[in-house]
Amino acid sequence: MLLTWIAEVADEGLTLEPGDRRVEWETNTWWLGAADEDRKSLSTAAVVAAFERTAAAIREHIRELGFPGAATFYVWHDEQAGQLRCSTGSVPPDALPFTSAYMASDDLAPLVEAFLAGGEPEITPLRVWTSSVGGSDQADEDEEEFCRS
């Protein structure tokens, strides 16, 4: 069921309001849990791949919307709630709307492993997997690729 819920995140409404981060947070944030039996049947690789597909779908959706700014899809493990949480915001990875310190990471596997194991203590600061999905992010990536060619 978890893999289905992750996929559904990409199909839900998306609000990008740089002037109103609270509206973005309320609209774009999802809490994803799984029963113990489900956790045991899932592999880290399958969950990571599901989030990567969701990030790609959100990136495409943002492109279709013509949103020109930075946007980030991000995932973190809320150990206390026993959930993986994800959101999309019109911010770069270093400006996510957390009230405490966090560390942006490009490796989702440790977060998923901790979730599937039932919650190992989170390393401080909070580790957050980020994927750039915004219009300006893609333009920057395209420019970098062009310069390397």
Side-chain angles (χ1 to χ4, degrees), residues 20-40:
D20 195 342
R21 303 281 188 234
R22 195 179 111 256
V23 168
E24 283 187 346
W25 179 261
E26 291 172 357
T27 305
N28 302 339
T29 303
W30 302 97
W31 297 261
L32 307 167
D36 289 340
E37 306 81 47
D38 292 338
R39 290 176 197 237
K40 291 175 186 171

Side-chain angles (χ1 to χ4, degrees), residues 10-76:
D11 296 331
E12 294 296 326
L14 182 67
T15 300
L16 297 173
E17 289 290 334
D20 195 342
R21 303 281 188 234
R22 195 179 111 256
V23 168
E24 283 187 346
W25 179 261
E26 291 172 357
T27 305
N28 302 339
T29 303
W30 302 97
W31 297 261
L32 307 167
D36 289 340
E37 306 81 47
D38 292 338
R39 290 176 197 237
K40 291 175 186 171
S41 70
L42 292 168
S43 72
T44 298
V47 176
V48 167
F51 275 117
E52 289 173 341
R53 284 189 301 272
T54 294
I58 290 171
R59 183 177 301 109
E60 184 61 31
H61 181 64
I62 289 173
R63 240 183 246 145
E64 289 169 0
L65 291 173
F67 182 77
T72 303
F73 174 69
Y74 52 103
V75 178
W76 69 101

Side-chain angles (χ1 to χ4, degrees), residues 29-133:
T29 303
W30 302 97
W31 297 261
L32 307 167
D36 289 340
E37 306 81 47
D38 292 338
R39 290 176 197 237
K40 291 175 186 171
S41 70
L42 292 168
S43 72
T44 298
V47 176
V48 167
F51 275 117
E52 289 173 341
R53 284 189 301 272
T54 294
I58 290 171
R59 183 177 301 109
E60 184 61 31
H61 181 64
I62 289 173
R63 240 183 246 145
E64 289 169 0
L65 291 173
F67 182 77
T72 303
F73 174 69
Y74 52 103
V75 178
W76 69 101
H77 176 214
D78 184 326
E79 180 189 342
Q80 290 180 324
Q83 299 169 333
L84 287 173
R85 296 190 178 184
C86 61
S87 191
T88 304
S90 59
V91 294
D94 63 352
L96 300 178
F98 290 103
T99 56
S100 59
Y102 70 92
M103 181 177 67
S105 172
D106 61 356
D107 188 3
L108 180 53
L111 301 174
V112 172
E113 287 169 1
F115 170 74
L116 293 177
E120 298 171 8
E122 193 70 56
I123 299 170
T124 303
L126 177 67
R127 291 180 64 179
V128 180
W129 178 74
T130 62
S131 179
S132 294
V133 294

